[in-house]
Amino acid sequence: MGNRFQVLDRFADGAQYIGGEIRPGGSGTVQAIVDPASGDTVHRYATAGPADVDAAVAAARAALPGWAGATPAERSDALHRLAAVLAERAGDFARVESLQCGKPIKLCNEFDVPGTVDNAAFFAGAARQLQGRSAGEYSGDHTSYVRREPIGVIGSIAPWNYPLQMAGWKILPAIAAGNTVVLKPAEITPLTSVMFARAATEAGLPPGVVNVVSGTGRAAGEHLVGHPDVAMVSFTGSTAVGKRVAALATDSVKRLHLELGGKAPFVVFDDADPEAAIQGAVAGALINSGQDCTAATRVYVQRPLYRRILEGIADTMAGVRLGDPFDPATDLGPLVSEAHRDRVAGFVERARSHATVVTGGRAPCEQGAYYLPTLIADAAQRSEIVQAEIFGPVLVILPFDTDDEGIALANDTPYGLAASAWTRDVYRANRATREIAAGCVWINDHIPIISEMPHGGYRASGYGKDMSMYSFEEYTQVKHVMFDNTAVARKDWHRTVFGDR
């Protein structure tokens, strides 16, 4: 397939964006960016080390007073301009995202890029809604009100599955609220994050408001999390790494936002539309080659529909078109790397001893990190294939009998990020939304997200929200301001410290 989009010239000066300028990293190591569809190295860059993180945090800290002091209207205008720049360059962003991740170009064109543009437009509006509670005389003798203020320099760490969208999810609410940001993208997919930061500068955001350090978690990420001038850390990634981030952030008492792993259940009751459930399960399981923390991973089907749903999913998966991500007809691209493909394949191989691979279960070709859409049946609820986050195009299907059992099975993993329930019965639907422990529960659909609504989990899936006004508030700190209204020098309450009435 070859290198279908030239990136060498754009990133010839490096993949770090600090203080409004692209520059090389100073770690002394070089990272290859590999096209997972072909295995070709398309770019190499010098990675960030601790000194680069220090420089980026210093740039963010220097930019903070001016940006935090800008009016909400000024920040809003800058974000509207950023949305326009992103929209103008949508084609470039889509091609680079497809190249570094292996995403089908239609996914980039129809989901990743427009979603990021919409997020920028949403937070441009949110920037003018930085409000606290209205003033009131709650004590009788004082007027109180609440201010929402920026937190400071935000250290954000984003994963490799949605590099552009995650850059937006991390950066946009933070800067809308008046903070400045240092983002560390995944070292294997940093390019669109750097493009995003450059677009911010070109849209008129002051240098240092948005910075990107591209490097490994050990060399750059941990230094960013522990940096004394970073006031808050926002991390999206696996639960295991999230625990490490939490430990480092807690040591220096930083505000923390964690969006971690998922193992989303897909519960099909016996009155559901079977064709809708079949289509929804395949789409929900295979979006982004299953590399999505909210992807459908566990399909629980009430027994009267079980065989029909199983056969329908298998047949639909067999018709999914794997191919060159740059071909608009391609439905499913490769996984992000051959190493990750081998990890996914390992889960399936270990499951063969106790479960049935109904369809898929292998790499279809030697070239590229492809893996066939895979459906697994007859697994035990406590087995690894049901409990662990696989992060690939692998779906497990299990039957259940009663509604109680279906909801209990849905809740029977450590995670709680997203779920869906499929039924025509409004009472069943309402029960599912109440009792399934997840940050998002879809009814008769799975996966859609919108800028106006929050994204975040329960339990081992972390805490805090991306997108929406809830996310915007995550990046503010609340200050209570209280004015005395009496003009009396000696207050009645002073007697508790000295004197009598």
Side-chain angles (χ1 to χ4, degrees):
M1 298 177 209
N3 182 0
R4 291 139 302 166
F5 186 72
Q6 184 58 253
V7 296
L8 294 175
D9 56 344
R10 184 168 301 177
F11 298 96
D13 294 329
Q16 318 301 325
Y17 197 80
I18 299 173
E21 297 180 349
I22 287 183
R23 56 192 256 186
S27 71
T29 64
V30 173
Q31 174 70 45
I33 297 175
V34 176
D35 174 2
S38 65
D40 293 340
T41 295
V42 297
H43 189 54
R44 298 180 190 275
Y45 71 94
T47 61
D52 301 296
V53 173
D54 290 344
V57 172
R61 187 178 181 188
L64 182 62
W67 184 247
T71 67
E74 289 168 339
R75 291 198 293 268
S76 176
D77 288 346
L79 288 174
H80 277 300
R81 293 193 301 270
L82 173 57
V85 173
L86 296 173
E88 288 168 6
R89 299 181 187 168
D92 280 358
F93 275 102
R95 287 188 290 271
V96 176
E97 193 80 331
S98 179
L99 181 64
Q100 68 177 353
C101 299
K103 295 173 181 280
I105 193 68
K106 67 179 180 180
L107 179 64
C108 297
N109 281 328
E110 298 176 25
F111 183 71
D112 296 67
V113 177
T116 304
V117 174
D118 185 70
N119 242 235
F122 174 82
F123 282 109
R128 302 185 79 148
Q129 301 297 318
L130 194 64
Q131 299 169 351
R133 291 184 183 273
S134 59
E137 285 68 50
Y138 299 101
S139 77
D141 291 337
H142 306 82
T143 294
S144 289
Y145 68 89
V146 169
R147 293 174 54 88
R148 284 195 173 273
E149 297 181 345
I151 295 170
V153 176
I154 312 298
S156 294
I157 300 177
W160 47 256
N161 58 331
Y162 289 103
L164 177 60
Q165 284 204 319
M166 292 296 102
W169 286 16
K170 297 298 183 192
I171 292 169
L172 291 165
I175 63 174
N179 303 282
T180 57
V181 176
V182 178
L183 172 73
K184 192 205 85 66
E187 66 271 20
I188 61 173
T189 58
L191 300 182
T192 49
S193 297
V194 177
M195 291 169 64
F196 185 101
R198 175 181 264 180
T201 300
E202 293 176 2
L205 277 77
V209 172
V210 178
N211 307 273
V212 175
V213 287
S214 304
T216 66
R218 187 171 297 277
E222 293 199 0
H223 191 64
L224 178 62
V225 172
H227 200 290
D229 290 333
V230 169
M232 173 180 171
V233 171
S234 177
F235 170 82
T236 296
S238 71
T239 299
V241 178
K243 292 177 180 178
R244 172 65 176 162
V245 169
L248 291 170
T250 300
D251 190 54
S252 49
V253 198
K254 299 184 193 307
R255 179 87 70 91
L256 188 59
H257 165 223
L258 298 174
E259 198 267 272
L260 307 177
K263 190 70 177 177
F266 186 107
V267 183
V268 184
F269 294 100
D270 57 14
D271 67 332
D273 179 339
E275 290 307 311
I278 289 165
Q279 294 293 315
V282 174
L286 299 186
I287 188 171
N288 202 33
S289 299
Q291 299 167 131
D292 187 307
C293 51
T294 62
T297 59
R298 301 176 287 140
V299 176
Y300 296 104
V301 186
Q302 208 153 21
R303 208 169 292 275
L305 287 182
Y306 179 73
R307 182 54 53 181
R308 182 174 178 184
I309 298 293
L310 184 153
E311 292 173 354
I313 290 174
D315 289 345
T316 304
M317 279 186 167
V320 171
R321 300 165 297 185
L322 277 69
D324 180 353
F326 274 61
D327 182 345
T330 293
D331 297 323
L332 196 72
L335 296 171
V336 75
S337 68
E338 292 185 0
H340 185 58
R341 179 204 59 200
D342 293 345
R343 177 185 177 275
V344 170
F347 280 102
V348 176
E349 293 309 307
R350 291 190 295 273
R352 289 185 192 275
S353 65
H354 60 269
T356 302
V357 178
V358 179
T359 189
R362 63 182 178 85
C365 53
E366 293 184 3
Q367 184 184 51
Y370 291 89
Y371 197 78
L372 288 175
T374 299
L375 179 65
I376 294 175
D378 306 320
Q381 172 66 18
R382 303 309 303 168
S383 63
E384 177 192 55
I385 202 77
V386 175
Q387 292 291 318
E389 185 175 36
I390 299 168
F391 226 58
V394 178
L395 185 61
V396 183
I397 186 166
L398 303 95
F400 68 92
D401 292 302
T402 68
D403 289 17
D404 288 349
E405 182 188 10
I407 290 175
L409 289 170
N411 287 331
D412 186 28
T413 73
Y415 300 105
L417 186 57
S420 64
W422 298 71
T423 177
R424 293 182 173 99
D425 186 319
V426 66
Y427 298 103
R428 268 179 163 167
N430 277 330
R431 181 187 180 190
T433 63
R434 290 194 308 271
E435 296 185 15
I436 294 177
C440 174
V441 180
W442 294 284
I443 299 297
N444 296 325
D445 208 343
H446 195 105
I447 282 296
I449 56 174
I450 51 175
S451 296
E452 291 82 359
M453 288 290 112
H455 174 90
Y458 291 7
R459 304 188 298 181
S461 292
Y463 46 82
K465 301 298 180 185
D466 288 311
M467 300 197 298
S468 80
M469 292 300 292
Y470 294 97
S471 173
F472 183 55
E473 292 177 358
E474 294 269 352
Y475 291 95
T476 66
Q477 49 193 351
V478 172
K479 177 184 287 183
H480 171 215
V481 178
M482 195 176 216
F483 284 88
D484 170 60
N485 292 329
T486 66
V488 174
R490 183 163 181 171
K491 310 289 194 273
D492 186 55
W493 69 267
H494 292 178
R495 67 188 174 82
T496 63
V497 179
F498 61 90
D500 301 316
R501 260 187 210 278

